[in-house]
Every structure is written in C-alpha cells, then in structure tokens.
C-alpha cells in the first residue's frame, strides 16, 4: 500500500468529486423522491406566477392606454406604480403558495415524531433515514438466541454416566468422581463475571447475569446441590493457567489448570457434535474411562443429540483432558494439538423458550410481505425446531435449512470464490442457516442485496449482537443491534438499537417506517389539492377580473394552513395494524399513486367549481354587492370574504379526507387517537372565525352573518360527501390517471457519474478504513519514536552501566507488526469451516534490531541495541540525528526498500 502525501490539485479535485458522490449516495430514497417532486412543482409554480404577472400587466396597459385611450400623465405615475406593485405582489403570492416549502418540514416532523415514539416501542433510532428504509423492508435476517427466544436458558436434559436423563438427574444418581469433575469444569471453565443471583422479588426466578449459556450450566451445578462459588473462591481467576476464550470458529471454550504435582488438566465446553469429534474417551458410571470410537460417537449423535435438538434444545458437550507430569509441557499456542484426545463427561440439553409474542409477530411479517430468515450458530436440528415453533417454517413448505459449511460449499466455485449466481439459487428458498459464522451472515446479506433475480431490489434488515456482526450490520439496509446483549461495536455499526432484544420490536419498526411513508403521502395529497386550487383561482381570477379573489395576506394564511399546520397534523398520525396488511412499497414506488391522483383531481375540480360559482354568481345567491372590478383602494367586500371563508373551510374538511390515501371510506377511523390533528383542525377553525369577524382591512375581510357562516360551513362540509363519491369510483376505470413522484431512475444518471458511484460503493468503506489505519499507524509510530528519544536521553547518562543489560531483554517496536505491507484483497477474512480443525498459525516474521540512530542488517533478533557495535558502525546509515525506521514486509531482514517502491515512500515519510 502506498502511503504518499495527498497534496496535488488533482487529488483535491478527486476528493471533492468523491465527497459530492457520497452526499448523493447517502440521500435516502424518500428524500430523493421528495426533492425531485418539489423541484418540479416549484418550476411549475414559477411559470404560473410569471404568467400571472405578465397577463395582469398586459391587461392593465391594454385596457388603460389602448381601450380607454388615456394618455400617460406624470401625476398619475404613482397610481400606475401602485397597480404594478399590486400585480407583482399577486405573482409572488402565487409563487409562495405553489412552492411546497412544507415538504422538508413534513419529512422532518414525521421522522422526529416517529423516532420519539419508537423509543417507547423499544427502538432507539441512531440514523433517521432508517425509519423510512424499514418501511420498505422485504427481508429480515434474525438471530435466534435472545431475539426469537427469551434468552433465559436452563438445563432440562442431560446425558451423563452412560445414561440419558429426560430431566435434571438427582445428585445421588451420579458418582462422586464424575460429580467432582463435572462441577469443577462448569465452575472454572466459564467467565467469572457470569453468576446466578437471588431473585429480585420473593418467589421469582433467580437472576442470570452474564452469558446465558454459562448461566444455564451454573444453574445445573446448583441443581446438583453443589456450590460453584465455593470452587471459584478456592480457585480465583488469577490461578487459571491458560484460557481459550470462545470464538465462532471452533465453537468451544477451554480453561487449563495447573495441579500441585506439576501436571495440567484442561476443561472444555462447546457445541456437542463438534467437541465430540475431539473426544477419544468417555466417562462411565463408575468414574472410569473407556474408549470412545467414531461408531460410539455416531450412536450418541443419533440417540442423544438429535432427539434433544429436535425438541429445540441447545446441546453442549462438557469434556476434559489431563496432561501428566511425565510428558513435557505442551506448546499451548498450538490449539489443534491441545484440543484433541478429550474425555467426554456429559452432554446437556439447554432450553431457551420462544418468546410468546414472536410467532404472532412473524405471522404479521409474512402477511406484510416480509421474509424472515433465522441465522444462528446453533445445531441445525435445534434451529429447525425453533423455526417451526416461531412459524418461520410451516408444515409442507419447500424451504431450505442448511448449515454454514454446506452454504459455503454451494456458493463457491472450484477456486473458492463466491459467485452471485450460486447465491441466487439458494437465498430465495433459504429460511434457516445453522452453525453459521458472522462471515456467513455477511455473505448472505450481501448476496441478497446484490441479487437481481427479483424485479424489486431486496431491502434487508439484520440483527446482530457480537463484535463480528459489525460488517453484516453495516452492509444491511437497516442494522438492528441488541441493546442488552449487544457489544459496543455492534451498536456503533447499527442503525437501530433494540432496547429489549425482542423480535416483536422489529415489527413495530416496520409499522413506523411504513407510517412515515404514508404520512408524507397524506400531506402531499392535501397540499397538492390546495396548490392546484389556489394557483388556478388566483391565475384565472387575475386574468378575468384583473384582481385575485384571494388577497396576498389571505393566501399567506392559506399557505400557513397548508404547510406548517398540515405538516403537524398529518405527519403525526400514529401507525395502525392495517399498515401490515399490504406488501412493501419498494424503492421505485411513486409518492403519488393513481388513487391519490384521483383524490387530488376530484377534490380540486369540485373546489374550483364551488369557488368560481361564488366568484361569478355569488352576489346573486347571497343577495349582496359584487366584489369584482373594485377600485384600487376600495374597502373589503362581503362577496370576496365569503369566497375566502369557503375556500379555507373546504381545505379544513378536505384535511380530514386526506387522512386516507388507499381509497378507504371511513375517513374518521382513529381520528381521536391523534390529538394533535384534532387540536390543529379545531384551532384553525377558531382562528379563521377571528380573522373573518375581526380581521378587517389587513386581511381584506368583513364580518359575516350567522346565515352566511352556516352556508360557508355547509359548503366546506360538502367536500366530505364529495370524497365518498370519489371513493366509489374504481381507480382502474380511470386509465388516464398517471402516478407521480418517482425517484431518480438509474437511466437518468450520466454514465460517468454512475460508474463513479458504483466505484464509490465498492471502495468507499475500504478506503475509509485504510485512511483511518494510516492515521493510527503514524500516530503510534510518532509516539514510539518520541519514547525512544526519551529512553536514549536517559541511557546516555547511564553509559558506564550499558554492558550490564542484555539486548535480548528489550523488545523491538517491530514485534507488534506482522505484515506492514498489505493489500485490500489480502485482508479479506477467510471462511472458517467449523467442523475442520483450525489451520496452524504462521510462524511470526522475524524482525531486525534497530538503534534509534542507525539501521543495519543484523541477525533477526527482537532487540534494540543501546550502542552500535564496531561492525554496525562500518555499515551504518547516517541519519543526521533523526530517527529512521526501515519497515520490512517479506524482504530479507534489514534490506532497505527500493527507491520509488511503496515501502520506500513510507520510509521516507517516516
């Protein structure tokens, strides 16, 4: 890897281009659709306002100076200017009403409101756009333990002393020799932070603190009437000789104790079918050992492990191995040699009950068009049994359940490379992936997201709790981390944190996500109706009567109702179960459906008919003076006040219609569950009364009589009746209707930009990680060099004592470096085959000794010589007092890098 300073102008331009692409890429699907729609509406509004001003000016000039034939008088210039200002104000008002500045507000309010409410549903949202994305989720890859199950584990069956006990055996049925080994192994071969605590309430269940599987084993020890804490007090954690912590590759944990006679005993626990392959002996009922042949292992798997697993139990094998004094102390770093020739003590079956609410939640997901897959590290039989209990697998379904090893075998070609075509043959029917590693989970998620088998791109949500789940959580469209059992790394990589680790909380996140999308659509349906009517009324009225029926201040009040208040009212609708009765919208679904377009046009036409009727014949209907063709500074008229009042009340009642966007008839359903909506509608009505009755000249209004108010209210209420008529018209019969609000299609993006975005998707994450690694690398080396200078300054005062210290007692700073020269492709994690033994670690690369001032080719010794030897002085490289450091990869020890090579650049910069 070349670590050269990035100072050139070309690189700066490239970085800016990448940052712009990154910003585009990070814009959510909904934001992209809204931005495009807002720009289109804004352009249309700008054109309409410009045409309105032009027509008003032309009509005034033609009528004044041509039709009436009046000359231009200098004294009349202020009056003409007032007319032109009035026309300009009308045009600006049309533009203000037309531009949907409330769209960003509606999105922000809806997301912020949803995030706040999701906290009560145990969803801590870290990224706002995750709410929206979750509404389009088509697949959920969930863990089993703690998410689908209660994560309260207890041992319910055991195979010990050649006998299978269907319940926890009585302590008297097990010999003392087996009991001592069993309880000692359980006590020391587990994290000392794991404990069984007394219940918080009297009569309650004991509290489990720490790893739940280990808690089950400690509870098993308590059931055998033994005190594990007394053993831990006798053998504190500091006395443990060696601990092999659990990892997802070997699926086991081991602890080594050193006996008083110098011998060693190692206790191991882990996945039963894997650990049994390491066993060569078995403890009998008498406490003696007998040979454990492969045939015996197969019998145990069929007669003990598979029956336990088929009942949904997690099977754990407990074993040990003695290392006698007569043998030399083994090399503890060679795990493959250590973890073999074990003696099986017992196999336990641990029950982790399915959460009672999970089957119903999974049924809702399936009804909503979301596929739920279980990805677990458990035995395939256990996973299949739990999946059946949850409802992931149904009787008669032709779905796949496979282990991670088989999954890897099917998706890789002869060269061991993953092929998308092979994944596409598996994932549509895959429902359970057992004995899987975090790498398998990442491969599955990436394969589903990158797949093009289905017409719509899959939107995948993933749950994870471990540090190794980070890549899968990052890769997923929405990553859920466990708030209780999750590590900090998993939480940092996630988009949403489940504070209760419960799968049903994911279903609530889906509901809120779909509700966000629907809330924006409701707001759009309402706003576009007001937009269309207000703009056409202002435009047509101005063209015909040379004055807008809706004055500037009135239009601004309408704009306030239409944008701010409507955003609050419609964007805070609570979600309902009905949201889970439809399929996901998909990423390409338009914001304005054909049904919404039917509602917008239907209500728009109805309101225009009413407003124009009142405009041209309203004075005859109400027997009042006409407000048309009024002089410039004439007082407000009843005629135009009735038009304004009717228009506002039409919008208020239509706001109730806008609550339903899928053609539902009952628009009042659940209206009282949203107090914000009711408060805004009622408050707006009160303010409207105040404006009309007491607004006066600023609002161009005069007080209306009760009869006129009743007529205005009736006309506004009639929009609810008209909405029922519109709902009766099937959308399919209106073939001329088109949807609107599509996102930016892939074909609309320039080819060069598309290639850049694809390249960014491929290298962005890796490049970011490498840059971060560079910074940490340089910081670490700078600190070490500073420390070396301090040490050398101290040594210079101790020169008479230099010979007393052995060079071997000090370690080179290269000890922590294995391969400084690395490539991105080399850093890809290898896929562990869990049933195979781990590959032996490569011998560590030998490193040179390096003095702070001189670097010489010396034998590979991890030493830092205080003073150069005579031989070293002959070949030393003068550094002028600076600390030079040669970093070597796979070169001969101590050989400087060739000029112009990547390592030479690194050495120069260091």
């Amino acid at each position: 890897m070349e670590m050269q300073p990035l100072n050139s102008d070309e690189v700066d331009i490239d970085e800016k281009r990448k940052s712009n692409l990154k910003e585009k890429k990070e814009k959510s699907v909904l934001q992209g659709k809204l931005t495009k729609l807002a720009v289109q509406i804004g352009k249309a509004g700008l054109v309409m306002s410009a045409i309105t001003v032009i027509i008003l000016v032309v009509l005034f000039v033609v009528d004044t100076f041509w039709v009436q034939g009046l000359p231009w008088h200098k004294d009349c210039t202020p009056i003409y200017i007032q007319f032109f200002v009035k026309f300009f104000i009308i045009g600006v008002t049309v533009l203000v009403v037309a531009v949907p500045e409330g769209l960003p507000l509606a999105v922000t309010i809806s997301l912020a409101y949803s995030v706040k409410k999701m906290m009560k549903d145990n969803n801590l949202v870290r990224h706002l756009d995750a709410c929206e994305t979750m509404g389009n989720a088509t697949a959920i890859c969930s863990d089993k333990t703690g998410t689908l199950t209660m994560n309260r584990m207890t041992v319910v069956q055991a195979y010990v002393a050649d006998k299978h006990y269907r319940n926890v055996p009585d302590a008297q049925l097990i010999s003392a020799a087996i009991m001592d080994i069993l309880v000692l192994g359980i006590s020391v071969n587990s994290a000392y932070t794991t404990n069984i605590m007394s219940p918080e309430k009297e009569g309650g269940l004991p509290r489990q603190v720490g790893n739940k599987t280990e808690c089950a084993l400690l509870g098993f020890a308590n059931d055998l009437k033994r005190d594990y804490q007394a053993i831990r007090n006798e053998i504190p954690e500091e006395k443990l000789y060696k601990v092999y912590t659990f990892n997802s590759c070997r699926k086991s944990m081991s602890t080594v104790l050193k006996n008083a006679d110098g011998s060693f005993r190692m206790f191991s626990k882990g996945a039963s079918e894997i650990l049994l392959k390491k066993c060569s002996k078995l403890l009998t009922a008498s406490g003696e050992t007998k040979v454990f042949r492969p045939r015996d292992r197969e019998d145990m798997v069929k007669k003990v492990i598979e029956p336990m697993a088929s009942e949904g139990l997690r099977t754990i094998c407990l074993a040990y191995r003695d290392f006698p004094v007569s043998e030399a102390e083994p090399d503890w770093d060679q795990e493959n040699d250590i973890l073999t020739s074990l003696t099986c003590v017992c196999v336990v079956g641990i029950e982790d009950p399915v959460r009672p609410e999970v089957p119903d939640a999974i049924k809702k997901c399936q009804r909503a068009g979301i596929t739920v897959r279980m990805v677990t590290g458990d035995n395939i039989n256990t996973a299949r049994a739990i999946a059946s209990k949850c409802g992931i697998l149904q009787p008669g379904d032709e779905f796949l359940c496979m282990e991670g090893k088989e999954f890897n075998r099917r998706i890789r070609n002869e060269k061991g490379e993953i092929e998308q075509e092979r994944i596409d043959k598996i994932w549509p029917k895959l429902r359970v992936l057992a004995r899987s590693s975090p790498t398998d989970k990442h491969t599955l998620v990436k394969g589903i997201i990158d797949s093009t088998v289905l017409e719509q791109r899959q939107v995948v949500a993933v749950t994870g709790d471990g540090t190794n789940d980070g890549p899968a959580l990052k890769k997923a469209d929405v990553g859920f981390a466990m708030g209780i059992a999750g590590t900090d790394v998993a939480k940092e990589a996630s988009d949403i944190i489940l504070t209760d680790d419960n799968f049903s909380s994911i279903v609530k996140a889906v509901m809120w996500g779909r509700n966000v999308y629907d809330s924006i659509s409701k707001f759009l349906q309402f706003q576009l109706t007001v937009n269309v009517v207000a703009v056409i009324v202002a435009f047509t009225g101005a063209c015909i009567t040379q004055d807008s029926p809706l004055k500037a201040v009135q239009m601004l009040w309408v704009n306030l109702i239409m944008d701010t208040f409507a955003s609050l009212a419609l964007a805070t609708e609570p979600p309902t179960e009905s949201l889970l009765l439809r399929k996901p919208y998909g990423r390409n679904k338009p914001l304005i459906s054909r049904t919404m377009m039917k509602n917008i046009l239907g209500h728009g036409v109805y309101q225009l008919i009413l407003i124009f009727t009142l405009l041209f014949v309203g004075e005859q209907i109400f027997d009042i003076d006409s407000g048309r063709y009024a002089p410039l500074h004439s007082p407000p008229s009843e005629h135009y006040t009735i038009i304004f009042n009717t228009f506002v009340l039409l919008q208020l009642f239509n706001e109730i219609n806008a609550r339903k966007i899928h053609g539902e008839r009952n628009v009042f359903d659940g209206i009282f569950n949203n107090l914000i909506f009711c408060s805004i509608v009622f408050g707006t009505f009160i303010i409207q009364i105040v404006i009309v009755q007491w607004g006066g000249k600023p609002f161009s209004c005069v007080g209306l009589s009760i009869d006129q108010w009743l007529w205005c209210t009736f006309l506004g209420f009639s929009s609810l009746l008209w909405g029922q008529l519109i709902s009766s018209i099937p959308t399919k019969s209106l073939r001329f209707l088109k949807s609107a609000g599509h996102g930016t299609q892939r074909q609309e993006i320039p080819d060069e930009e598309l290639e850049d975005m694809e390249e960014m998707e491929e290298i962005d994450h890796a490049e970011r990680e490498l840059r971060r690694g560079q910074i940490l690398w340089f910081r670490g080396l700078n600190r070490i060099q500073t420390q070396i200078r301090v040490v050398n300054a101290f040594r210079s005062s101790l020169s008479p004592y230099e010979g007393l210290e052995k060079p071997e007692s000090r370690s080179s700073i290269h000890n922590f470096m294995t391969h400084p020269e690395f490539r991105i492709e080399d850093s890809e994690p290898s896929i562990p085959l869990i049933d195979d033994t781990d590959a032996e670690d490569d011998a560590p690369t030998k490193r040179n000794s390096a003095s702070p001032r001189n670097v010489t080719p010396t034998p590979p010794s991890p030493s830092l010589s205080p003073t150069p030897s005579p031989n070293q002085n002959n070949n030393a490289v003068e550094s002028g007092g600076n600390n030079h450091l040669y970093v070597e990869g796979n070169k001969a020890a101590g050989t400087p890098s060739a000029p112009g090579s990547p390592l030479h650049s690194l050495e120069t910069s260091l």
Side-chain angles (χ1 to χ4, degrees), residues 639-654:
H639 184 196
Y640 275 20
T641 302
I642 290 175
I643 293 175
F644 165 63
N645 198 32
T646 303
F647 178 78
V648 171
L649 292 178
L650 279 170
Q651 309 318 318
L652 274 184
F653 284 101
N654 188 41

Side-chain angles (χ1 to χ4, degrees), residues 490-503:
K491 293 175 184 177
E492 283 295 322
S494 67
D495 301 295
I496 300 175
I497 297 175
L498 299 180
T499 56
D500 63 345
D501 292 9
N502 197 337
F503 182 84

Side-chain angles (χ1 to χ4, degrees), residues 409-425:
R409 187 185 64 80
R410 289 199 188 185
I411 65 173
R412 295 176 183 275
N413 57 21
E414 296 77 10
K415 299 179 181 178
E417 299 170 343
I418 298 174
E419 291 185 353
Q420 184 62 42
E421 294 179 359
R422 292 173 178 257
I423 298 179
D424 290 342
K425 294 178 182 178

Side-chain angles (χ1 to χ4, degrees), residues 789-799:
R789 293 191 188 102
V790 174
V791 171
N792 288 333
F794 180 71
R795 282 180 182 163
S796 63
S797 64
L798 299 177
S799 54

